[in-house]
């Protein structure tokens, strides 16, 4: 279900990009020389990207499911408080720890692969960087940047390996704990006061239930609302602080500042609402054909 949904979403995205690229080549004469290349790449992406997404998400979903089953046994699973099959509350501690742990394990796997792929070539990378630095050092002072890169790569990439193998999972764990915790907190508030996610559950056998369908708006609104509350406004505040620290003249007016934060949050809300609404529509179309997601519920 996850891989099929991802393939359809990527296909829609590829078609939109293809249309935009054709419009740009039609209205911008300077791009006319590259129109055949752009159109060829766009048509190829419509075929290649959905297939790639299908198999990639299939592997990621399968392994993530295995990780969840292993990790959740240590935390007694994620317990959802249901009210007439509506998710009323998400347990903050268990949800945050389990999902953040899965993200950290994936970061460890990615870090190991990156380290194995990059480290053998660190000496070559250092030689190229030093050559470029020496070539342009007279016109631009980049000694500090070069020193930083040399320090990170280190001898035979040892420092880079430490960062990728240990730093990347640690960063994923910390960011996962914060982001997932905020998501659960904001969803619980929204579900209590505004709208909840309904689950159309049907008992298959024993403790096995199947999610038959996802109502589009009731499914998309709480999730996008939680993202809007937890991330959109926060990112807007971070953007505002960065502009304030750098002395950007666009900040300082309270109306402009509030508008910046609200618009940033609103863009998050609308973007995620559209994505999750599309996911619900695709799920409802695929579930009767390939079967819905099945959950063991105690």
């Amino acid at each position: 279900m996850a891989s099929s949904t991802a393939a359809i979403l990527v296909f829609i995205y590829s078609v939109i990009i293809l249309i935009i690229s054709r419009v740009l080549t039609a209205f911008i004469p300077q791009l006319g020389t590259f129109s055949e290349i752009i159109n060829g790449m766009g048509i190829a992406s419509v075929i290649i990207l959905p297939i790639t997404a299908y198999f990639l998400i299939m592997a990621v979903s399968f392994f993530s499911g295995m990780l969840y089953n292993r990790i959740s046994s240590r935390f007694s699973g994620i317990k959802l408080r249901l009210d007439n099959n509506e998710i009323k509350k998400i347990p903050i501690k268990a949800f945050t720890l389990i999902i953040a742990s899965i993200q950290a394990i994936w970061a460890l796997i990615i870090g190991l692969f990156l380290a194995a792929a990059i480290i053998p070539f660190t000496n070559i990378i250092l030689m190229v960087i030093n050559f470029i630095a020496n070539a342009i050092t007279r016109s631009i002072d980049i000694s500090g940047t070069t020193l930083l890169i040399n320090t990170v790569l280190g001898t035979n990439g040892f420092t880079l390996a430490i960062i990728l193998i240990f730093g990347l999972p640690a960063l994923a764990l910390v960011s996962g704990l914060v982001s997932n915790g905020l998501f659960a907190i904001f969803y619980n508030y929204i579900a209590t006061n505004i709208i909840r996610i309904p689950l159309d559950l049907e008992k298959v056998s024993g403790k096995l239930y199947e999610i038959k369908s996802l109502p589009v708006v009731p499914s998309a609104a709480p999730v996008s609302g939680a993202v809007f509350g937890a991330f959109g406004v926060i990112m807007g505040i971070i953007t505002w602080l960065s502009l304030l620290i750098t002395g950007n003249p666009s900040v300082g007016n309270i109306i402009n500042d509030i508008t910046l934060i609200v618009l940033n949050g609103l863009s998050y809300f609308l973007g995620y609402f559209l994505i999750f609404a599309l996911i619900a529509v695709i799920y409802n179309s695929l579930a009767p054909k390939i079967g819905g997601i099945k959950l063991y519920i105690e």
Side-chain angles (χ1 to χ4, degrees):
M1 178 62 76
S3 55
S4 300
T5 302
I8 294 172
L9 287 174
V10 171
F11 175 77
I12 295 171
Y13 170 79
S14 301
V15 170
I16 293 174
I17 295 299
L18 177 60
I19 294 172
I20 292 174
S21 63
R22 290 202 168 186
V23 170
L24 289 176
T25 53
F27 285 93
I28 301 178
Q30 291 81 355
L31 295 177
T33 308
F34 306 99
S35 61
E36 292 185 2
I37 298 175
I38 294 173
N39 291 333
M41 292 177 62
I43 294 172
S45 66
V46 171
I47 301 172
I48 296 172
L49 291 182
I51 295 174
T52 304
Y54 180 86
F55 288 104
L56 178 63
I57 300 302
M58 177 181 287
V60 171
S61 301
F62 181 81
F63 189 66
S64 297
M66 293 177 60
L67 286 176
Y68 174 84
N69 292 338
R70 289 296 185 94
I71 296 173
S72 64
S73 62
R74 299 181 180 274
F75 296 95
S76 300
I78 294 178
K79 298 178 176 66
L80 302 176
R81 183 174 296 175
L82 300 178
D83 183 10
N84 294 324
N85 284 351
E86 294 179 335
I87 302 178
K88 184 177 181 180
K89 185 178 181 181
I90 298 175
I92 299 172
K93 182 179 178 181
F95 176 82
T96 302
L97 288 175
I98 291 174
I99 304 302
S101 298
I102 293 174
Q103 293 171 339
I105 293 173
W106 269 114
L108 174 62
I109 294 171
I110 294 171
L112 288 170
F113 273 102
L114 288 176
I118 296 174
I119 288 173
F121 303 100
T122 50
N123 288 332
I124 298 175
I125 296 172
L126 282 171
M127 290 175 58
V128 172
I129 291 173
N130 288 324
F131 176 79
I132 296 173
N134 292 331
I136 63 176
T137 188
R138 294 180 179 178
S139 56
I140 304 174
D141 184 12
I142 58 170
S143 55
T145 304
T146 306
L147 179 62
L148 177 62
I149 295 173
N150 289 336
T151 303
V152 170
L153 291 178
T155 305
N156 296 324
F158 178 77
T159 306
L160 179 61
I162 295 297
I163 293 173
L164 290 174
I165 297 173
F166 296 100
L168 194 61
L171 179 62
L173 180 63
V174 172
S175 62
L177 290 173
V178 174
S179 60
N180 293 310
L182 286 173
F183 176 84
I185 291 170
F186 275 79
Y187 176 82
N188 291 342
Y189 176 81
I190 291 171
T192 303
N193 298 282
I194 305 174
I195 190 172
R196 306 169 185 170
I197 295 179
L199 296 177
D200 182 11
L201 292 173
E202 182 179 283
K203 188 172 184 178
V204 178
S205 63
K207 298 178 181 179
L208 185 62
Y209 290 77
E210 180 181 351
I211 302 176
K212 302 296 292 184
S213 65
L214 295 173
V216 178
V217 174
S219 297
V223 178
S224 55
V227 173
F228 161 72
F231 303 106
V233 173
I234 292 174
M235 291 304 298
I237 294 173
I238 293 174
T239 302
W240 174 78
L241 286 174
S242 64
L243 292 175
L244 183 65
I245 293 172
T246 56
N248 193 296
S250 62
V251 298
N253 184 296
I254 188 166
I255 297 177
N256 292 339
D257 297 344
I258 294 175
T259 302
L260 171 67
I261 296 172
V262 171
L263 288 178
N264 196 85
L266 188 61
S267 65
Y268 269 70
F269 175 80
L270 294 176
Y272 279 94
F273 181 86
L274 177 60
I275 292 172
F276 285 106
L278 279 173
I279 290 174
V281 171
I282 295 169
Y283 183 93
N284 295 339
S285 301
L286 294 177
K289 300 177 179 63
I290 65 176
I293 294 175
K294 295 177 178 63
L295 305 173
Y296 283 99
I297 300 178
E298 296 182 357

